[in-house]
Amino acid sequence: MTDFVSATSFHYLLHPHTTLLVTCCDDAGRANIIAIAWLTPVSINPPLLALMIRPDRYSYPLIRATREFVVNVASREIAAQTLFCGRRSGRDVDKFAATGLTAQPARLVRPPIIAECLAHLECRVAQDIEAGDHHIVIGAVVAAYARAGVLDAEGLYDPRRAQPLLHLGRNRFTTTRADSIEPALPRG
Ligand SMILES: Cc1cc2nc3c(=O)[nH]c(=O)nc-3n(C[C@H](O)[C@H](O)[C@H](O)COP(=O)(O)O)c2cc1C
């Protein structure tokens, strides 16, 4: 038996996705946070990532105007705050004040980082491509760093010390287990 899904639900078959809290700000420096699950690296050298955002989000014109944003990696501890940032608009509410998340200055861009997150990627907009009902915003990564202690000696997340918040779809999340799997390479 096969479970067919509707044409508009195909994307749930590709979840879970790492949940990101993307920060941006207006001309006056007032910061906003949007939850983003559709985001992927697209190039290592030059370092580029792409996030998929609907143009009707309050955050979209801010990112377009200032051409800067920060990708903050959410952890399981801030699931409730993350859902709030993904279900309320910055048009109506100050999400930093409402969630209690902590804004700290970024190194090279104007939008703040979120202190409670696992890692931060500061970006400048390189390209904006319309694609169906979303826009693909390509960001050049100008600085990338993680909270002390969450990476192992190889620069990978240590699953005992970092549990990223993974979005299953709708209002549901999961996370990683404390163990990791590194299969032996096939011989030859
Ligand atoms: C977990 C989660 C992931 C989301 N991922 C995306 C996404 O990838 N792209 C998008 O445009 N909206 C996404 N959303 C919806 C926006 O976060 C939501 O519409 C938010 O209220 C927009 O905030 P803003 O109006 O302040 O910009 C997501 C929502 C949740 C809860």
Side-chain angles (χ1 to χ4, degrees):
M1 279 279 282
T2 308
D3 285 330
F4 282 96
V5 302
S6 69
T8 54
S9 293
F10 77 92
H11 57 97
Y12 290 129
L13 303 182
L14 301 170
H15 283 245
H17 289 291
T18 307
T19 315
L20 295 321
L21 289 175
V22 172
T23 44
C24 49
C25 64
D26 65 14
D27 282 343
R30 277 184 297 264
N32 187 46
I33 313 171
I34 177 173
I36 291 284
W38 292 4
L39 189 146
T40 181
V42 290
S43 167
I44 296 173
N45 188 16
L48 299 173
L49 56 77
L51 71 84
M52 278 39 93
I53 183 168
R54 285 182 75 120
D56 59 352
R57 310 301 190 212
Y58 175 67
S59 301
Y60 175 69
L62 302 190
I63 292 171
R64 252 197 100 105
T66 63
R67 303 190 72 77
E68 291 183 337
F69 60 93
V70 180
V71 176
N72 299 273
V73 180
S75 67
R76 67 171 297 162
E77 289 82 12
I78 55 167
Q81 295 94 320
T82 300
L83 187 61
F84 186 94
C85 294
R87 296 286 174 239
R88 294 287 180 275
S89 177
R91 271 185 207 101
D92 312 316
V93 63
D94 175 339
K95 296 191 206 177
F96 275 104
T99 58
L101 290 170
T102 312
Q104 284 179 352
R107 297 181 187 189
L108 299 176
V109 299
R110 232 170 135 207
I113 68 164
I114 300 173
E116 289 80 2
C117 286
L118 296 172
H120 317 278
L121 296 90
E122 300 182 15
C123 299
R124 294 213 167 93
V125 173
Q127 235 180 305
D128 181 335
I129 303 153
E130 196 180 332
D133 55 13
H134 282 61
H135 278 234
I136 305 170
V137 175
I138 312 261
V141 181
V142 294
Y145 42 97
R147 188 201 291 168
V150 301
L151 302 181
D152 66 15
E154 291 181 89
L156 306 179
Y157 283 116
D158 179 342
R160 294 164 304 177
R161 298 164 77 168
Q163 289 197 289
L165 184 64
L166 307 179
H167 188 217
L168 284 168
R170 304 194 189 281
N171 294 338
R172 200 170 308 152
F173 299 89
T174 186
T175 189
T176 49
R177 295 172 10 158
D179 61 337
S180 54
I181 305 153
E182 188 156 352
L185 282 173
R187 288 170 192 275

